[in-house]
Amino acid sequence: MPSDFDSPYRHGFVRLAAAVPAVRLADPAANAERTIAQLREAADQGAAVVVFPELGLSGYSLDDLAQQDALLDASLAALDAVREATTRLLPLVFVGLPLRLEGQLFNVAVALQGGELLGVVPKRYLPNYREFYEARQYTAGSHAIADTAVVLGREVPFGSDLIFAAASHPQLRVHAEICEDMWVPVPPSTWAALAGATVLVNLSASNVTVGKADYRRLLAESHSARCLAAHVYTSAGAGESTTDLAWDGQAIIAENGTVLAESARFQPDDHLLLADVDLERLVQERSRMTSYNDQVRDLQPQLKAMRRVAFAFRAPVLADTHLRRPVPRYPYVPSNPATLDQRCYEAINIQAHGLIQRIRATAAERVVIGVSGGLDSTLALLVAVEAFDRLGLPRANILAYTMPGFATSSQTLEQAHTLMRALGVSGEEIDIKPSCRQMLADLGHPFAKGEKVYDITFENVQAGERTSHLFRLANRHHAFVLGTGDLSELALGWCTYGVGDHMSHYNVNASVPKTLIQYLIRWFAQGGRHDDATRAVLEAIAGTTISPELVPADADGALQDTEAHVGPYPLQDFTLYYLTRFGFRPSKIAYLAHQAWGDATRGEWPALVPDDRRPAYTLGEIKHWMALFLRRFFAAQFKRSAVPNAPKVGGGGSLSPRGDWRMPSDAVPDAWLRDLDENVPA
């Protein structure tokens, strides 16, 4: 039996279902049977909310048959059959039917749960143009004169202002609207979202024309993004009349601008679409988006008029706890090749344009950069070349220096020289070992007496000496120092404060994580931007073990390995993203990391990730490295409070105190570590 930790519901997710039955037109009894069967299937798969199409119990394409008493009576009987079926099921259910109230015929969605009718939502806006003639049969919901309705002998709330609120699950707030209501400039669900609804559902019967599916998808994406909400769209499919129209049965589940799942269209039979939406993420986004809450304030009178309808809810026990949504292993690196190409293009341009503006502002036509033959300095050098080419400045004005120390490998030294030659920059080598020995001797360090003591002082003397050389070289050549350190290193405090790689005049990499840097370099190598020699050295650099090369190899010849000290960068970047971008608790991040990294054969990998670099991590490993991340992240805030200028590159944010991140340097990680220790069973 899966543990509670494994359930999506434990971590703020809720499973939504969009059902598309193949209707039997004008046969509500048959449609009720199909509806109940799909409802049971959705319940068996752990859905909390199940949405059926507009007029799904009767069929949409009825024309004047919708006004026939026999059809209306049969539709009510079908509704009662579905209501009875919900008695033994957990989900909140929305079904559509024609309903006569007070002498008016409405196109409605009825909310049911636990054998009860919770409310009736009328279609507010009726299309009566082109192929639509709904005003011939139905009354618009805005014309209703009552805010309650008697249905199946029960008086229930009636109106488009209803929010169905789970009593024991405060983040689950659901609003329903019908088809055209989403196509108007200000859908009714907009008000509901501002009033607290997190799940917006649309029961639709939209007929299909060429290109219309793309527009529906755009509506679902954009509406969920503007409202910071989840959106469920389900539409009529097989069985509707094709006298003059056709139907494709499109279903979409979106969350904050991203489509999580979409059904195949034109299916001949019933089909069900499920996805897990992250309500905690939506609530987080709303709480931090000040303009969203400003509009809540501006519209208080309208929003206070929205009515809440409570319903009982308890999370189902899931047999299959696999999360029904994509969880990218690399949140900074898209797996889709076209998206990755666009992301890399934008990142490089942001970095290059930032540097171009700084060059213009300082009137300095030279930059000084340290080139190690590793990832970060390679990307910074490539960005410098892009900027200088666009400014029409000679590449020789890029003054690149490789500065071997006591542990520099022949491989990275050769890579640095090869890269500088291939790019046509001014490349020189400065041996920092003599000056480092002098400083170590001045400090009375044991290494100066021949002892093999490789402590933090030994390491930082080298890192500081390199930076000191760069600043003095910048003075001498009327240039400024281009920084190379990345976002991941800033998060982990893996940089030498002040007089080391922490400092520069301008840093193009400071909001680019290590995982993205690896793929930006591979993108440069494979994009046809450079000659064969340059591409070859870029591929070699991308595959080199990440190391500061400050400590000599051990007796077995093993070099210093950064990831052995600070953890695998894919995991640490994963934690960094969800911690700083969304504010998730560590136990939830661990859950997501295990979903993404627990099985190397599951899910998509970015195409640029080599097959031999596709690991899996156990929950225990994830927990171990996350604890280390949290300790280092809190301890290193003082370094991030004093970073050089750098352009913000990705939506994941930066850690500059002038940008996305504000944090006291003396905060402690105890609450985060306690959550990790107590709530992750590893």
PDB file of all heavy atoms in Angstrom, residues 174-202:
ATOM      1  N   VAL A 174     -14.329  25.820  -6.649  1.00  0.00           N
ATOM      2  CA  VAL A 174     -14.645  25.507  -8.042  1.00  0.00           C
ATOM      3  C   VAL A 174     -15.770  26.404  -8.550  1.00  0.00           C
ATOM      4  O   VAL A 174     -16.786  26.592  -7.866  1.00  0.00           O
ATOM      5  CB  VAL A 174     -15.064  24.030  -8.192  1.00  0.00           C
ATOM      6  CG1 VAL A 174     -15.207  23.661  -9.670  1.00  0.00           C
ATOM      7  CG2 VAL A 174     -14.053  23.111  -7.498  1.00  0.00           C
ATOM      8  N   HIS A 175     -15.579  26.924  -9.738  1.00  0.00           N
ATOM      9  CA  HIS A 175     -16.629  27.717 -10.406  1.00  0.00           C
ATOM     10  C   HIS A 175     -16.911  27.106 -11.767  1.00  0.00           C
ATOM     11  O   HIS A 175     -15.993  26.652 -12.464  1.00  0.00           O
ATOM     12  CB  HIS A 175     -16.192  29.166 -10.586  1.00  0.00           C
ATOM     13  CG  HIS A 175     -17.200  30.016 -11.298  1.00  0.00           C
ATOM     14  ND1 HIS A 175     -17.201  30.182 -12.674  1.00  0.00           N
ATOM     15  CD2 HIS A 175     -18.262  30.725 -10.837  1.00  0.00           C
ATOM     16  CE1 HIS A 175     -18.202  30.971 -13.019  1.00  0.00           C
ATOM     17  NE2 HIS A 175     -18.856  31.312 -11.926  1.00  0.00           N
ATOM     18  N   ALA A 176     -18.182  27.107 -12.148  1.00  0.00           N
ATOM     19  CA  ALA A 176     -18.579  26.536 -13.441  1.00  0.00           C
ATOM     20  C   ALA A 176     -19.208  27.609 -14.327  1.00  0.00           C
ATOM     21  O   ALA A 176     -19.949  28.476 -13.840  1.00  0.00           O
ATOM     22  CB  ALA A 176     -19.560  25.387 -13.237  1.00  0.00           C
ATOM     23  N   GLU A 177     -18.904  27.529 -15.602  1.00  0.00           N
ATOM     24  CA  GLU A 177     -19.585  28.331 -16.613  1.00  0.00           C
ATOM     25  C   GLU A 177     -19.762  27.477 -17.852  1.00  0.00           C
ATOM     26  O   GLU A 177     -19.242  26.349 -17.931  1.00  0.00           O
ATOM     27  CB  GLU A 177     -18.802  29.610 -16.921  1.00  0.00           C
ATOM     28  CG  GLU A 177     -17.425  29.373 -17.506  1.00  0.00           C
ATOM     29  CD  GLU A 177     -16.583  30.640 -17.584  1.00  0.00           C
ATOM     30  OE1 GLU A 177     -17.023  31.679 -17.052  1.00  0.00           O
ATOM     31  OE2 GLU A 177     -15.492  30.583 -18.167  1.00  0.00           O
ATOM     32  N   ILE A 178     -20.502  27.979 -18.816  1.00  0.00           N
ATOM     33  CA  ILE A 178     -20.903  27.156 -19.952  1.00  0.00           C
ATOM     34  C   ILE A 178     -20.480  27.813 -21.261  1.00  0.00           C
ATOM     35  O   ILE A 178     -20.847  28.964 -21.537  1.00  0.00           O
ATOM     36  CB  ILE A 178     -22.425  26.896 -19.937  1.00  0.00           C
ATOM     37  CG1 ILE A 178     -22.823  26.219 -18.612  1.00  0.00           C
ATOM     38  CG2 ILE A 178     -22.844  26.024 -21.114  1.00  0.00           C
ATOM     39  CD1 ILE A 178     -24.317  26.042 -18.422  1.00  0.00           C
ATOM     40  N   CYS A 179     -19.698  27.119 -22.011  1.00  0.00           N
ATOM     41  CA  CYS A 179     -19.293  27.413 -23.392  1.00  0.00           C
ATOM     42  C   CYS A 179     -19.067  28.896 -23.672  1.00  0.00           C
ATOM     43  O   CYS A 179     -18.029  29.438 -23.355  1.00  0.00           O
ATOM     44  CB  CYS A 179     -20.323  26.817 -24.360  1.00  0.00           C
ATOM     45  SG  CYS A 179     -19.648  26.579 -26.027  1.00  0.00           S
ATOM     46  N   GLU A 180     -20.037  29.568 -24.267  1.00  0.00           N
ATOM     47  CA  GLU A 180     -19.865  30.954 -24.713  1.00  0.00           C
ATOM     48  C   GLU A 180     -19.421  31.883 -23.590  1.00  0.00           C
ATOM     49  O   GLU A 180     -18.786  32.905 -23.849  1.00  0.00           O
ATOM     50  CB  GLU A 180     -21.171  31.466 -25.324  1.00  0.00           C
ATOM     51  CG  GLU A 180     -21.084  32.834 -25.982  1.00  0.00           C
ATOM     52  CD  GLU A 180     -20.461  32.800 -27.373  1.00  0.00           C
ATOM     53  OE1 GLU A 180     -20.161  31.682 -27.846  1.00  0.00           O
ATOM     54  OE2 GLU A 180     -20.291  33.867 -27.984  1.00  0.00           O
ATOM     55  N   ASP A 181     -19.738  31.517 -22.359  1.00  0.00           N
ATOM     56  CA  ASP A 181     -19.335  32.358 -21.229  1.00  0.00           C
ATOM     57  C   ASP A 181     -17.827  32.578 -21.203  1.00  0.00           C
ATOM     58  O   ASP A 181     -17.353  33.586 -20.665  1.00  0.00           O
ATOM     59  CB  ASP A 181     -19.777  31.714 -19.908  1.00  0.00           C
ATOM     60  CG  ASP A 181     -21.289  31.657 -19.765  1.00  0.00           C
ATOM     61  OD1 ASP A 181     -21.983  32.360 -20.525  1.00  0.00           O
ATOM     62  OD2 ASP A 181     -21.775  30.902 -18.905  1.00  0.00           O
ATOM     63  N   MET A 182     -17.052  31.635 -21.750  1.00  0.00           N
ATOM     64  CA  MET A 182     -15.598  31.783 -21.782  1.00  0.00           C
ATOM     65  C   MET A 182     -15.138  32.636 -22.963  1.00  0.00           C
ATOM     66  O   MET A 182     -14.004  33.126 -22.975  1.00  0.00           O
ATOM     67  CB  MET A 182     -14.932  30.406 -21.847  1.00  0.00           C
ATOM     68  CG  MET A 182     -13.409  30.445 -21.749  1.00  0.00           C
ATOM     69  SD  MET A 182     -12.613  28.821 -21.729  1.00  0.00           S
ATOM     70  CE  MET A 182     -12.810  28.283 -23.433  1.00  0.00           C
ATOM     71  N   TRP A 183     -15.980  32.818 -23.973  1.00  0.00           N
ATOM     72  CA  TRP A 183     -15.568  33.488 -25.193  1.00  0.00           C
ATOM     73  C   TRP A 183     -15.792  34.999 -25.140  1.00  0.00           C
ATOM     74  O   TRP A 183     -15.348  35.721 -26.032  1.00  0.00           O
ATOM     75  CB  TRP A 183     -16.308  32.898 -26.397  1.00  0.00           C
ATOM     76  CG  TRP A 183     -15.970  31.462 -26.673  1.00  0.00           C
ATOM     77  CD1 TRP A 183     -16.200  30.400 -25.860  1.00  0.00           C
ATOM     78  CD2 TRP A 183     -15.346  30.932 -27.835  1.00  0.00           C
ATOM     79  NE1 TRP A 183     -15.764  29.230 -26.438  1.00  0.00           N
ATOM     80  CE2 TRP A 183     -15.238  29.534 -27.671  1.00  0.00           C
ATOM     81  CE3 TRP A 183     -14.882  31.492 -29.031  1.00  0.00           C
ATOM     82  CZ2 TRP A 183     -14.673  28.698 -28.633  1.00  0.00           C
ATOM     83  CZ3 TRP A 183     -14.325  30.668 -29.989  1.00  0.00           C
ATOM     84  CH2 TRP A 183     -14.212  29.285 -29.790  1.00  0.00           C
ATOM     85  N   VAL A 184     -16.477  35.475 -24.115  1.00  0.00           N
ATOM     86  CA  VAL A 184     -16.740  36.909 -24.009  1.00  0.00           C
ATOM     87  C   VAL A 184     -15.530  37.603 -23.393  1.00  0.00           C
ATOM     88  O   VAL A 184     -14.673  36.955 -22.785  1.00  0.00           O
ATOM     89  CB  VAL A 184     -18.009  37.167 -23.161  1.00  0.00           C
ATOM     90  CG1 VAL A 184     -19.226  36.545 -23.842  1.00  0.00           C
ATOM     91  CG2 VAL A 184     -17.862  36.630 -21.745  1.00  0.00           C
ATOM     92  N   PRO A 185     -15.438  38.944 -23.525  1.00  0.00           N
ATOM     93  CA  PRO A 185     -14.248  39.637 -23.013  1.00  0.00           C
ATOM     94  C   PRO A 185     -13.991  39.447 -21.520  1.00  0.00           C
ATOM     95  O   PRO A 185     -12.839  39.350 -21.096  1.00  0.00           O
ATOM     96  CB  PRO A 185     -14.537  41.106 -23.342  1.00  0.00           C
ATOM     97  CG  PRO A 185     -15.431  41.046 -24.539  1.00  0.00           C
ATOM     98  CD  PRO A 185     -16.294  39.840 -24.333  1.00  0.00           C
ATOM     99  N   VAL A 186     -15.060  39.417 -20.716  1.00  0.00           N
ATOM    100  CA  VAL A 186     -14.890  39.212 -19.273  1.00  0.00           C
ATOM    101  C   VAL A 186     -15.760  38.025 -18.860  1.00  0.00           C
ATOM    102  O   VAL A 186     -16.923  38.185 -18.508  1.00  0.00           O
ATOM    103  CB  VAL A 186     -15.273  40.461 -18.460  1.00  0.00           C
ATOM    104  CG1 VAL A 186     -14.967  40.237 -16.964  1.00  0.00           C
ATOM    105  CG2 VAL A 186     -14.540  41.691 -18.968  1.00  0.00           C
ATOM    106  N   PRO A 187     -15.217  36.815 -18.898  1.00  0.00           N
ATOM    107  CA  PRO A 187     -16.001  35.640 -18.519  1.00  0.00           C
ATOM    108  C   PRO A 187     -16.442  35.717 -17.056  1.00  0.00           C
ATOM    109  O   PRO A 187     -15.738  36.281 -16.211  1.00  0.00           O
ATOM    110  CB  PRO A 187     -15.015  34.482 -18.726  1.00  0.00           C
ATOM    111  CG  PRO A 187     -13.999  35.006 -19.689  1.00  0.00           C
ATOM    112  CD  PRO A 187     -13.872  36.458 -19.364  1.00  0.00           C
ATOM    113  N   PRO A 188     -17.598  35.150 -16.729  1.00  0.00           N
ATOM    114  CA  PRO A 188     -18.034  35.125 -15.324  1.00  0.00           C
ATOM    115  C   PRO A 188     -16.998  34.499 -14.393  1.00  0.00           C
ATOM    116  O   PRO A 188     -16.884  34.887 -13.229  1.00  0.00           O
ATOM    117  CB  PRO A 188     -19.314  34.280 -15.375  1.00  0.00           C
ATOM    118  CG  PRO A 188     -19.820  34.435 -16.777  1.00  0.00           C
ATOM    119  CD  PRO A 188     -18.604  34.572 -17.637  1.00  0.00           C
ATOM    120  N   SER A 189     -16.229  33.548 -14.897  1.00  0.00           N
ATOM    121  CA  SER A 189     -15.236  32.890 -14.049  1.00  0.00           C
ATOM    122  C   SER A 189     -14.111  33.834 -13.637  1.00  0.00           C
ATOM    123  O   SER A 189     -13.379  33.550 -12.675  1.00  0.00           O
ATOM    124  CB  SER A 189     -14.653  31.664 -14.758  1.00  0.00           C
ATOM    125  OG  SER A 189     -14.142  32.009 -16.022  1.00  0.00           O
ATOM    126  N   THR A 190     -13.960  34.960 -14.348  1.00  0.00           N
ATOM    127  CA  THR A 190     -12.962  35.941 -13.938  1.00  0.00           C
ATOM    128  C   THR A 190     -13.286  36.473 -12.551  1.00  0.00           C
ATOM    129  O   THR A 190     -12.422  36.580 -11.672  1.00  0.00           O
ATOM    130  CB  THR A 190     -12.906  37.103 -14.945  1.00  0.00           C
ATOM    131  OG1 THR A 190     -12.675  36.584 -16.259  1.00  0.00           O
ATOM    132  CG2 THR A 190     -11.810  38.087 -14.575  1.00  0.00           C
ATOM    133  N   TRP A 191     -14.551  36.819 -12.346  1.00  0.00           N
ATOM    134  CA  TRP A 191     -14.987  37.305 -11.038  1.00  0.00           C
ATOM    135  C   TRP A 191     -14.799  36.211  -9.993  1.00  0.00           C
ATOM    136  O   TRP A 191     -14.380  36.483  -8.864  1.00  0.00           O
ATOM    137  CB  TRP A 191     -16.459  37.726 -11.085  1.00  0.00           C
ATOM    138  CG  TRP A 191     -16.775  38.703 -12.168  1.00  0.00           C
ATOM    139  CD1 TRP A 191     -17.363  38.437 -13.368  1.00  0.00           C
ATOM    140  CD2 TRP A 191     -16.495  40.105 -12.162  1.00  0.00           C
ATOM    141  NE1 TRP A 191     -17.475  39.582 -14.113  1.00  0.00           N
ATOM    142  CE2 TRP A 191     -16.950  40.624 -13.392  1.00  0.00           C
ATOM    143  CE3 TRP A 191     -15.911  40.964 -11.241  1.00  0.00           C
ATOM    144  CZ2 TRP A 191     -16.832  41.965 -13.719  1.00  0.00           C
ATOM    145  CZ3 TRP A 191     -15.807  42.312 -11.565  1.00  0.00           C
ATOM    146  CH2 TRP A 191     -16.252  42.801 -12.786  1.00  0.00           C
ATOM    147  N   ALA A 192     -15.109  34.984 -10.371  1.00  0.00           N
ATOM    148  CA  ALA A 192     -14.991  33.875  -9.424  1.00  0.00           C
ATOM    149  C   ALA A 192     -13.541  33.676  -8.997  1.00  0.00           C
ATOM    150  O   ALA A 192     -13.247  33.437  -7.822  1.00  0.00           O
ATOM    151  CB  ALA A 192     -15.544  32.598 -10.035  1.00  0.00           C
ATOM    152  N   ALA A 193     -12.618  33.764  -9.966  1.00  0.00           N
ATOM    153  CA  ALA A 193     -11.206  33.594  -9.633  1.00  0.00           C
ATOM    154  C   ALA A 193     -10.743  34.683  -8.673  1.00  0.00           C
ATOM    155  O   ALA A 193     -10.054  34.416  -7.681  1.00  0.00           O
ATOM    156  CB  ALA A 193     -10.366  33.598 -10.904  1.00  0.00           C
ATOM    157  N   LEU A 194     -11.112  35.912  -8.954  1.00  0.00           N
ATOM    158  CA  LEU A 194     -10.726  37.010  -8.073  1.00  0.00           C
ATOM    159  C   LEU A 194     -11.356  36.863  -6.686  1.00  0.00           C
ATOM    160  O   LEU A 194     -10.822  37.359  -5.694  1.00  0.00           O
ATOM    161  CB  LEU A 194     -11.132  38.348  -8.693  1.00  0.00           C
ATOM    162  CG  LEU A 194     -10.329  38.760  -9.937  1.00  0.00           C
ATOM    163  CD1 LEU A 194     -10.984  39.940 -10.632  1.00  0.00           C
ATOM    164  CD2 LEU A 194      -8.886  39.096  -9.562  1.00  0.00           C
ATOM    165  N   ALA A 195     -12.492  36.161  -6.621  1.00  0.00           N
ATOM    166  CA  ALA A 195     -13.155  35.922  -5.342  1.00  0.00           C
ATOM    167  C   ALA A 195     -12.649  34.664  -4.655  1.00  0.00           C
ATOM    168  O   ALA A 195     -13.168  34.292  -3.602  1.00  0.00           O
ATOM    169  CB  ALA A 195     -14.664  35.829  -5.552  1.00  0.00           C
ATOM    170  N   GLY A 196     -11.667  33.981  -5.249  1.00  0.00           N
ATOM    171  CA  GLY A 196     -11.043  32.849  -4.575  1.00  0.00           C
ATOM    172  C   GLY A 196     -11.158  31.508  -5.256  1.00  0.00           C
ATOM    173  O   GLY A 196     -10.556  30.533  -4.797  1.00  0.00           O
ATOM    174  N   ALA A 197     -11.919  31.404  -6.345  1.00  0.00           N
ATOM    175  CA  ALA A 197     -12.026  30.115  -7.034  1.00  0.00           C
ATOM    176  C   ALA A 197     -10.685  29.755  -7.659  1.00  0.00           C
ATOM    177  O   ALA A 197     -10.065  30.571  -8.345  1.00  0.00           O
ATOM    178  CB  ALA A 197     -13.114  30.168  -8.106  1.00  0.00           C
ATOM    179  N   THR A 198     -10.242  28.534  -7.421  1.00  0.00           N
ATOM    180  CA  THR A 198      -8.959  28.075  -7.966  1.00  0.00           C
ATOM    181  C   THR A 198      -9.129  27.148  -9.168  1.00  0.00           C
ATOM    182  O   THR A 198      -8.199  26.971  -9.947  1.00  0.00           O
ATOM    183  CB  THR A 198      -8.155  27.326  -6.889  1.00  0.00           C
ATOM    184  OG1 THR A 198      -8.981  26.310  -6.317  1.00  0.00           O
ATOM    185  CG2 THR A 198      -7.692  28.283  -5.803  1.00  0.00           C
ATOM    186  N   VAL A 199     -10.298  26.533  -9.299  1.00  0.00           N
ATOM    187  CA  VAL A 199     -10.587  25.628 -10.413  1.00  0.00           C
ATOM    188  C   VAL A 199     -11.772  26.183 -11.179  1.00  0.00           C
ATOM    189  O   VAL A 199     -12.870  26.339 -10.625  1.00  0.00           O
ATOM    190  CB  VAL A 199     -10.892  24.205  -9.916  1.00  0.00           C
ATOM    191  CG1 VAL A 199     -11.241  23.297 -11.098  1.00  0.00           C
ATOM    192  CG2 VAL A 199      -9.707  23.633  -9.146  1.00  0.00           C
ATOM    193  N   LEU A 200     -11.552  26.504 -12.444  1.00  0.00           N
ATOM    194  CA  LEU A 200     -12.598  27.040 -13.311  1.00  0.00           C
ATOM    195  C   LEU A 200     -12.950  25.980 -14.338  1.00  0.00           C
ATOM    196  O   LEU A 200     -12.065  25.491 -15.047  1.00  0.00           O
ATOM    197  CB  LEU A 200     -12.113  28.312 -14.010  1.00  0.00           C
ATOM    198  CG  LEU A 200     -11.402  29.338 -13.113  1.00  0.00           C
ATOM    199  CD1 LEU A 200     -10.901  30.511 -13.943  1.00  0.00           C
ATOM    200  CD2 LEU A 200     -12.306  29.810 -11.991  1.00  0.00           C
ATOM    201  N   VAL A 201     -14.230  25.604 -14.415  1.00  0.00           N
ATOM    202  CA  VAL A 201     -14.622  24.555 -15.350  1.00  0.00           C
ATOM    203  C   VAL A 201     -15.576  25.124 -16.385  1.00  0.00           C
ATOM    204  O   VAL A 201     -16.394  25.994 -16.080  1.00  0.00           O
ATOM    205  CB  VAL A 201     -15.247  23.341 -14.628  1.00  0.00           C
ATOM    206  CG1 VAL A 201     -14.314  22.839 -13.549  1.00  0.00           C
ATOM    207  CG2 VAL A 201     -16.606  23.664 -14.034  1.00  0.00           C
ATOM    208  N   ASN A 202     -15.449  24.639 -17.591  1.00  0.00           N
ATOM    209  CA  ASN A 202     -16.297  25.091 -18.688  1.00  0.00           C
ATOM    210  C   ASN A 202     -16.912  23.892 -19.374  1.00  0.00           C
ATOM    211  O   ASN A 202     -16.205  23.069 -19.960  1.00  0.00           O
ATOM    212  CB  ASN A 202     -15.490  25.921 -19.689  1.00  0.00           C
ATOM    213  CG  ASN A 202     -16.367  26.540 -20.763  1.00  0.00           C
ATOM    214  OD1 ASN A 202     -16.721  25.882 -21.737  1.00  0.00           O
ATOM    215  ND2 ASN A 202     -16.729  27.797 -20.572  1.00  0.00           N
TER     216      ASN A 202
END
